[in-house]
Amino acid sequence: MSVPRLVPEDPRLADPVEVLARTLYGEARGETLAGKEAVACVILNRVARATARGGSYWWGRDVVGVCLKPWQFSCWNMNDPNRTKLLAVTESNRTFRTCLSVAERALAGTIEDKTAGATHYHTRTITAAWSRGKTPSAVIGGHFFYNDVE
């Protein structure tokens, strides 16, 4: 089975709601609503940090750039099995509809950031090298969130 690929001409790449929702589906579809919202906040916090630094940062400058930056959100990695799932899911899937709703609300600015400004997270089941020696700013669902990673 071939893996669907987003290409520059793919209209989904230009739509921040679509890209954010698919990222949420790939990264947090098994989470509660609060967990999905927290992951959305991380993405928006990265955009806000980029804006505060003059409009750009190494992880991107807008929602699409941040989500699709290579090796930042593993669900978009070519070798990640979640990539096939996030590219194939449609609005007929209830969880994806929830992700779309969270993405719309996040981009409208109506989600409270319970991560305390986190720009990074990892699951409870792993310890990311970048998190060693750092204290999580929040623990929501199955993820640890960090607001002190550069």
Side-chain angles (χ1 to χ4, degrees):
M1 177 167 107
S2 69
V3 176
R5 301 182 114 202
L6 289 177
V7 295
E9 298 79 33
D10 190 321
R12 296 180 295 179
L13 273 178
D15 184 353
V17 172
E18 186 81 19
V19 172
L20 179 55
R22 289 183 184 280
T23 304
L24 296 175
Y25 186 79
E27 293 284 314
R29 71 179 165 276
E31 285 288 333
T32 63
L33 180 61
K36 290 175 181 68
E37 290 175 345
V39 171
C41 286
V42 165
I43 294 164
L44 294 182
N45 289 338
R46 286 185 175 200
V47 172
R49 178 131 354 137
T51 300
R53 292 181 183 229
S56 187
Y57 199 57
W58 65 267
W59 56 53
R61 71 183 197 303
D62 57 22
V63 169
V64 172
V66 165
C67 289
L68 299 181
K69 177 76 175 181
W71 306 105
Q72 293 305 298
F73 295 95
S74 63
C75 64
W76 288 104
N77 295 345
M78 291 301 292
N79 63 341
D80 194 300
N82 283 316
R83 184 174 162 82
T84 302
K85 294 173 185 172
L86 74 86
L87 291 173
V89 70
T90 67
E91 289 186 49
S92 66
N93 180 292
R94 182 172 42 173
T95 302
F96 183 60
R97 285 194 310 271
T98 299
C99 292
L100 282 165
S101 174
V102 170
E104 289 168 350
R105 290 185 302 109
L107 291 169
T110 62
I111 293 178
E112 178 187 355
D113 183 5
K114 295 179 181 172
T115 73
T119 57
H120 289 71
Y121 66 90
H122 64 76
T123 67
R124 291 177 182 243
T125 59
I126 66 142
T127 301
W130 52 260
S131 70
R132 289 192 184 101
K134 303 210 179 285
T135 302
S137 57
V139 179
I140 301 169
H143 291 96
F144 291 103
F145 294 86
Y146 299 83
N147 61 9
D148 60 350
V149 180
E150 287 298 319

